[in-house]
Amino acid sequence: MARTLLKRLSPLSPLILLLAGTVTAAERFPPEGTLPLPVRIESGEDQLDLFIGEERFCRYVFRDEQISRPYFAHLVAPCGRQVTRRHPPVEGEDATDHATFHPGLWTGFGDISGHDYWRLKARIKHVKFLEVPRAGPGWASFSSSNDYLSTDGKTTICREQFKFILLVRKTGYLVLWESTFSAVGDQAVFGDQEEMGLGVRVATPLAVINGGRIVDSEGRLNGKGVWGRQSSWCDYHGRMGDFLLGVTLMPHPENFRPSWYHARDYGFVAANPFGRNAFTRQEKSRLVVPAGKPLELRFAVLFHSQPLAASEPLPPVQQLVSERDQAYRDYLKILHSGSGVR
């Protein structure tokens, strides 16, 4: 088994895969609800590919000539169908707007101390892996250090420690996401825009305009009902072939502020705790992160699927709310167990 995995690694890449014997899933995560499917990581020069069984779950790109921030692309649901838009989008088959801004799953910020990392006007530089990527039955993890550079690229505005964990749960593929931001210099200031936080671009067939649906924990629907509202979670889902599949954004309940959702019917949603004025027209948010007092921002993202015959309508909203509430309770259970992203 070990030889097979090692052969898949690039001979020029450092060995950044630790096998399951190093840390068991039982030692790190609640065994109840975690499915011990084989998980592995393959390393490339500028990317990591994460596999669940023989199916690639996603690609993490930490250096890209066109996209100046790290991102995840090609994410799939348990049924094997891709739940995020193809990257790059395919002309004539995919919506092609925001081709570089919306690669799959990412965090971005339109204003940190006046610098724009959402629209790729300033660069987020991958510095190094702090924890080597590793995997075992039902899980994978890594952590990295990223520098947020000024628009001219000459100075560092803040530094991010990013922690990623994948758990294969009964409810779907669960990503635990933690970013800790430290000012370089006296302070870093997070501004107030729609384009801030954790974003996902769903596969084109899942967009509301193509028959998909957005639902939040309060049962509100689509961009009209969900945009600019706060809730425990927000789910974007739709039909693809004989499956219902989707993605659920779940902000950590102890983030500095609940997230508003920048939800769009064309296939995009972001969880954004910064945009108070952008979403409510209330007082502008200005979050100052002083030197020595880091900002911690955490989320969970669930990729889910279930059979749905072509003759069946989308499930009733209350059924979806109940199912996603169960997944959210599963996330809270992981947090309360003391494992999570720690």
Side-chain angles (χ1 to χ4, degrees), residues 309-328:
S311 59
E312 295 182 68
L314 295 182
V317 171
Q318 287 309 312
Q319 177 182 330
L320 263 297
V321 170
S322 177
E323 291 172 357
R324 297 290 79 75
D325 276 345
Q326 180 182 349
Y328 184 68

Side-chain angles (χ1 to χ4, degrees), residues 1-9 13-20 22 39-43 48-51 131-136 139-141:
M1 177 67 172
R3 290 193 188 95
T4 302
L5 295 176
L6 293 177
K7 285 179 181 178
R8 297 178 184 271
L9 293 168
S13 303
L15 177 59
I16 59 172
L17 173 67
L18 297 187
L19 300 180
T22 307
V39 180
R40 72 177 190 274
I41 300 175
E42 296 181 6
S43 69
L48 303 174
D49 285 312
L50 283 75
F51 289 82
E131 174 193 312
V132 293
R134 50 187 174 177
W139 65 271
S141 70

Side-chain angles (χ1 to χ4, degrees), residues 17-35:
L17 173 67
L18 297 187
L19 300 180
T22 307
V23 181
T24 68
E27 290 173 328
R28 299 195 67 190
F29 312 120
E32 181 184 350
T34 297
L35 303 180

Side-chain angles (χ1 to χ4, degrees), residues 131-154:
E131 174 193 312
V132 293
R134 50 187 174 177
W139 65 271
S141 70
F142 66 85
S143 65
S144 62
S145 176
N146 300 316
D147 280 357
Y148 284 60
L149 305 181
S150 57
T151 304
D152 62 11
K154 294 181 180 179

Side-chain angles (χ1 to χ4, degrees), residues 186-244:
D186 294 336
Q187 64 181 28
V189 181
F190 287 73
D192 187 320
Q193 289 189 13
E194 292 180 0
E195 293 79 11
M196 305 275 283
L198 177 72
V200 64
R201 182 63 184 260
V202 300
T204 298
L206 306 185
V208 172
I209 58 174
N210 295 320
R213 193 165 59 186
I214 307 169
V215 180
D216 71 6
S217 60
E218 303 302 312
R220 294 176 291 231
L221 289 177
N222 301 335
K224 184 177 181 180
V226 175
W227 187 93
R229 302 293 187 93
Q230 293 176 322
S231 58
S232 298
W233 52 259
C234 180
D235 186 82
Y236 211 133
H237 60 269
R239 184 196 308 276
M240 194 179 294
D242 291 330
F243 291 95
L244 177 79

Side-chain angles (χ1 to χ4, degrees), residues 79-340:
C79 66
R81 302 292 182 95
Q82 186 165 320
V83 72
T84 56
R85 184 176 65 175
R86 287 177 290 193
H87 177 71
V90 177
E91 188 75 39
E93 298 182 26
D94 291 312
T96 56
D97 61 281
H98 304 87
T100 53
F101 294 0
H102 296 176
L105 177 71
W106 70 95
T107 49
F109 305 91
D111 179 10
I112 302 180
S113 299
H115 304 278
D116 186 347
Y117 304 95
W118 186 279
R119 301 170 188 83
L120 311 180
K121 295 181 179 180
R123 181 185 172 205
I124 303 174
K125 177 185 176 183
H126 169 85
V127 178
K128 62 181 178 180
F129 284 102
L130 300 172
E131 174 193 312
V132 293
R134 50 187 174 177
W139 65 271
S141 70
F142 66 85
S143 65
S144 62
S145 176
N146 300 316
D147 280 357
Y148 284 60
L149 305 181
S150 57
T151 304
D152 62 11
K154 294 181 180 179
T155 58
T156 300
I157 304 303
C158 67
R159 184 160 291 131
E160 174 192 20
Q161 290 188 9
F162 170 52
K163 176 76 174 183
F164 168 93
I165 288 176
L166 165 67
L167 296 177
V168 182
R169 304 291 287 176
K170 293 178 181 178
T171 52
Y173 299 157
L174 182 67
V175 167
L176 304 181
W177 184 300
E178 178 179 292
S179 291
T180 303
F181 297 93
S182 301
V184 176
D186 294 336
Q187 64 181 28
V189 181
F190 287 73
D192 187 320
Q193 289 189 13
E194 292 180 0
E195 293 79 11
M196 305 275 283
L198 177 72
V200 64
R201 182 63 184 260
V202 300
T204 298
L206 306 185
V208 172
I209 58 174
N210 295 320
R213 193 165 59 186
I214 307 169
V215 180
D216 71 6
S217 60
E218 303 302 312
R220 294 176 291 231
L221 289 177
N222 301 335
K224 184 177 181 180
V226 175
W227 187 93
R229 302 293 187 93
Q230 293 176 322
S231 58
S232 298
W233 52 259
C234 180
D235 186 82
Y236 211 133
H237 60 269
R239 184 196 308 276
M240 194 179 294
D242 291 330
F243 291 95
L244 177 79
L245 63 157
V247 55
T248 312
L249 301 186
M250 299 183 283
H252 194 290
E254 295 180 7
N255 282 347
F256 74 95
R257 181 187 293 147
S259 288
W260 294 277
Y261 291 96
H262 183 181
R264 297 297 190 185
D265 290 349
Y266 63 77
F268 163 75
V269 65
N272 178 348
F274 301 95
R276 181 168 56 203
N277 176 263
F279 294 114
T280 70
R281 304 308 174 201
Q282 297 178 19
E283 179 185 359
K284 274 201 170 187
S285 175
R286 185 175 184 271
L287 184 67
V288 177
V289 180
K293 295 183 178 180
L295 167 68
E296 192 171 65
L297 198 61
R298 289 177 282 175
F299 302 93
V301 188
L302 179 72
F303 300 90
H304 60 86
S305 61
Q306 62 192 66
L308 183 71
S311 59
E312 295 182 68
L314 295 182
V317 171
Q318 287 309 312
Q319 177 182 330
L320 263 297
V321 170
S322 177
E323 291 172 357
R324 297 290 79 75
D325 276 345
Q326 180 182 349
Y328 184 68
R329 288 193 296 271
D330 182 57
Y331 170 45
L332 296 181
K333 183 178 181 179
I334 292 170
L335 296 179
H336 294 157
S337 74
S339 52

